[in-house]
Amino acid sequence: MLRYLKRRFFSSPLWAVVLFSSVLLYGCKDGFDDYWDNGKPKGGYLYNKLKDNPEFSIFVEGLERTQIDQFVNKGGLYTVFAPTNEAFQNFFTTRGYTSISDVPPDELFEILSFHIVNNMWYYYDLKARYNSDAKSELYLTRNKKFVKIDVLTENTLKINDVAVINTLRDIDADNGVIHGIGQVLVPLPNLEQVLQKDPEFVNSTFYQLMQLTADSAYDSRNSFDRNRDGRIDSVFFKTYPFLSEVNTSLEYRANNAVSNQGGDPVYTTVLIPSNAVLNPFLAPALARVGNDITLLSPSYAEAVLESYFLSERKISAAELTARPVVLRTVNSEILPALPDSRFIRKNVEASNGIVHLINIIFPESDRLKSAVGKAMTDPDLSMFMAALQRAGVMGQWALTSKDGTFFAPTNAAFEAAGLDVEKRVLNGAQLTATQFNTIVRHHLINSNLNQAALTGTRDSDLGNTQQLVFATSNGATTVRSQGGVVATVQIPALIVGPASKGYVYKVDKVLLPFQ
């Protein structure tokens, strides 16, 4: 008796051709021959099989218009859930379109990509894979969103609760399989799209703070020649590198295990304080920058925002009401359960998360309470704060329990030294991550130094190989780096941390170490 074990390998990020490994035979399964036969011709690639079936002519037209046809007209392994012409006609009527040509290219690209799943899955395969009680699973599509494929009901295959038409199920192709469906699947927008398209969210102070920490990255998977001029029109997605584990545009974490679909879903729950409660909290910091929120440092924005993102899964308002929330802060403060009265809007769904608008401010994070956290509101130190972030040392130093003294160069000092923090370039020379880290740590001392203690030689955070030498003459205190730079220390300290844990002094030069 034979049991079929067919291993499929997720195609590379470039969707390169992937070949089946040898078929292994051991055991027995009824119906095997109905789903697989090495000697049975498949009749061409997916695109050709779709094109040959009149039920899918509108779907084919859409694939050609968005140039997705090229991906299913060659190697690789895909499962295509193809809407019938009737499904598209219903979609057009609902959306106010008359034909596939009326659908905006970007919208059409996103929708059609949502119907193409990685790897080749016959109904038989799915039944064999999920022969336990858990007969539904998330699968990664070509547009990097997940769909739920369900075989819970006997002789029924569903995708996102839409049943496959049994007479159009398991259509063979050389590089995959086609399942016909009677409804066009429309993906939910991701968190970034939800935030950008909702007037209340995009105009919120919270979202403005997020933009201070934002960056962008090229999205090769969703870039295509949208205006058919022969050139790829680049698409970029929003990233927030300062906000750890916050992914508003990305929906999966890569996982290339054989049994995996190429990625695991990534979710974020966003709690947005209303302007009515957030603006008074920010007022002291805004006053220091002329009430221009764009002049606040990204480090300060991150320290304010970090508590309002709960990662790894969607958490509904009901769950938040029922139990306490552990804030994403260094000191892991616990906020009491949120009563229903704290929600202005709740359960705004996205494909990769959920958003709640609340009328409460969370406790100040440990980072904001620390000495360096309090110095984040000084607009003259924004480059130094960015340097701490870029060097990866902010987390271990911005603590209320941390003994430490910071000699913070002003923005003018960074500019005079020719040190570009963002690019990690010094006077035109590219620094390695280690070199940049060394420069930043040369400004840090692992003890609390009040004004009287700024004497003699002190080890920097780099140890006794990179020391700082202090001197006072004619009422002025200077510090000399191992590299010979002499800077004036602004006295008294700009900030003294809670319980004298941490001192921040401004200096007028970057203390370059000995290289």
Side-chain angles (χ1 to χ4, degrees), residues 2-280:
L2 300 177
R3 178 165 63 96
Y4 171 60
L5 174 62
K6 183 168 52 180
R7 293 186 179 180
R8 294 178 176 80
F9 292 85
F10 173 65
S11 56
S12 72
L14 296 178
W15 300 80
V17 174
V18 181
L19 298 178
F20 275 122
S21 59
S22 299
V23 174
L24 302 179
L25 302 173
Y26 17 153
C28 170
K29 274 288 182 184
D30 292 337
F32 167 79
D33 289 337
D34 293 335
Y35 292 92
W36 182 259
D37 182 351
N38 271 327
K40 175 182 169 184
K42 304 295 180 183
Y45 286 131
L46 286 163
Y47 172 68
N48 294 327
K49 296 300 291 285
L50 288 165
K51 197 170 183 179
D52 290 343
N53 193 321
E55 289 271 16
F56 304 130
S57 61
I58 297 178
F59 183 58
V60 168
E61 186 181 349
L63 294 177
E64 292 172 347
R65 184 167 175 238
T66 55
Q67 300 163 39
I68 300 174
D69 59 308
Q70 63 184 306
F71 294 101
V72 293
N73 195 29
K74 58 182 181 182
L77 294 174
Y78 309 104
T79 298
V80 178
F81 291 89
T84 63
N85 290 345
E86 183 180 357
F88 272 102
Q89 292 298 343
N90 292 334
F91 171 77
F92 297 152
T93 299
T94 302
R95 295 298 181 99
Y97 302 131
T98 57
S99 71
I100 198 80
S101 299
D102 294 336
V103 186
D106 290 343
E107 179 186 350
L108 185 61
F109 185 92
E110 185 174 8
I111 289 173
L112 298 190
S113 296
F114 194 54
H115 292 75
I116 301 173
V117 173
N118 298 339
N119 299 337
M120 185 164 67
W121 300 104
Y122 293 95
Y123 171 67
Y124 168 84
D125 295 322
L126 296 164
K127 291 287 287 186
R129 185 175 186 184
Y130 301 110
N131 56 7
S132 66
D133 291 336
K135 294 183 179 179
S136 65
E137 187 66 35
L138 294 176
Y139 287 77
L140 186 61
T141 62
R142 194 185 179 280
N143 77 344
K144 303 189 295 186
K145 294 179 183 290
F146 285 85
V147 292
K148 183 181 75 170
I149 295 179
D150 188 342
V151 290
L152 185 62
T153 303
E154 185 62 31
N155 199 35
T156 300
L157 170 60
K158 292 182 179 180
I159 176 172
N160 281 9
D161 296 323
V162 174
V164 168
I165 300 168
N166 284 354
T167 57
L168 296 175
R169 193 173 74 188
D170 295 330
I171 299 173
D172 270 338
D174 288 334
N175 62 331
V177 61
I178 300 162
H179 304 292
I181 55 177
Q183 183 177 322
V184 175
L185 304 174
V186 179
L188 283 172
N190 61 35
L191 280 169
E192 191 60 41
Q193 292 167 331
V194 167
L195 294 172
Q196 287 184 8
K197 293 178 180 179
D198 189 302
E200 193 165 25
F201 294 154
V202 75
N203 294 317
S204 69
T205 300
F206 186 88
Y207 190 70
Q208 291 179 62
L209 279 179
M210 286 180 65
Q211 302 323 296
L212 300 181
T213 71
D215 202 349
S216 61
Y218 176 59
D219 188 351
S220 60
R221 190 69 55 79
N222 288 317
S223 295
F224 71 107
D225 182 8
R226 65 188 307 274
N227 56 5
R228 307 307 290 263
D229 64 355
R231 294 178 295 182
I232 297 295
D233 295 293
S234 298
V235 172
F236 294 85
F237 60 86
K238 188 75 68 73
T239 65
Y240 296 94
F242 274 63
L243 299 173
S244 175
E245 298 181 10
V246 173
N247 298 296
T248 58
S249 298
L250 298 180
E251 306 187 34
Y252 76 102
R253 185 179 292 110
N255 182 343
N256 290 333
V258 172
S259 61
N260 196 270
Q261 279 289 295
D264 301 312
V266 174
Y267 299 113
T268 304
T269 297
V270 187
L271 301 166
I272 299 182
S274 68
N275 290 356
V277 294
L278 185 55
N279 288 350

Side-chain angles (χ1 to χ4, degrees), residues 322-344:
R323 63 182 179 83
V325 179
V326 178
L327 302 184
R328 293 185 64 253
T329 62
V330 176
N331 55 336
S332 297
E333 293 191 49
I334 296 179
L335 183 75
L338 291 172
D340 191 64
S341 60
R342 290 300 186 187
F343 292 90
I344 301 172

Side-chain angles (χ1 to χ4, degrees), residues 359-378:
N359 61 4
I360 186 174
I361 288 291
F362 288 176
E364 191 175 43
S365 71
D366 196 52
R367 181 167 295 188
L368 279 178
K369 294 175 184 176
S370 69
V372 68
K374 293 183 180 300
M376 287 176 184
T377 59
D378 191 320

Side-chain angles (χ1 to χ4, degrees), residues 405-431:
T405 303
F406 301 79
F407 296 95
T410 62
N411 293 345
F414 276 98
E415 292 169 357
L419 180 54
D420 186 321
V421 172
E422 180 62 29
K423 297 178 180 178
R424 285 198 307 222
V425 169
L426 177 61
N427 288 324
Q430 184 67 57
L431 300 172

Side-chain angles (χ1 to χ4, degrees), residues 318-475:
E319 288 184 85
L320 293 169
T321 300
R323 63 182 179 83
V325 179
V326 178
L327 302 184
R328 293 185 64 253
T329 62
V330 176
N331 55 336
S332 297
E333 293 191 49
I334 296 179
L335 183 75
L338 291 172
D340 191 64
S341 60
R342 290 300 186 187
F343 292 90
I344 301 172
R345 292 175 62 188
K346 52 189 175 183
N347 302 330
V348 181
E349 288 272 358
S351 57
N352 59 340
I354 193 167
V355 184
H356 310 288
L357 185 65
I358 57 177
N359 61 4
I360 186 174
I361 288 291
F362 288 176
E364 191 175 43
S365 71
D366 196 52
R367 181 167 295 188
L368 279 178
K369 294 175 184 176
S370 69
V372 68
K374 293 183 180 300
M376 287 176 184
T377 59
D378 191 320
D380 203 23
L381 296 182
S382 60
M383 289 186 183
F384 178 66
M385 297 304 165
L388 293 176
Q389 288 279 11
R390 196 83 168 92
V393 300
M394 179 70 83
Q396 66 197 73
W397 284 84
L399 301 169
T400 55
S401 59
K402 172 70 175 174
D403 289 335
T405 303
F406 301 79
F407 296 95
T410 62
N411 293 345
F414 276 98
E415 292 169 357
L419 180 54
D420 186 321
V421 172
E422 180 62 29
K423 297 178 180 178
R424 285 198 307 222
V425 169
L426 177 61
N427 288 324
Q430 184 67 57
L431 300 172
T432 65
T434 299
Q435 289 171 329
F436 184 78
N437 179 275
T438 296
I439 291 173
V440 173
R441 291 173 59 200
H442 198 43
H443 295 78
L444 314 177
I445 289 178
N446 275 288
S447 59
N448 299 318
L449 302 181
N450 60 24
Q451 181 178 344
L454 299 180
T455 60
T457 300
R458 301 276 185 171
D459 291 349
S460 72
D461 189 45
L462 300 166
N464 59 15
T465 60
Q466 297 281 7
Q467 296 176 315
L468 297 173
V469 180
F470 296 91
T472 299
S473 177
N474 298 323

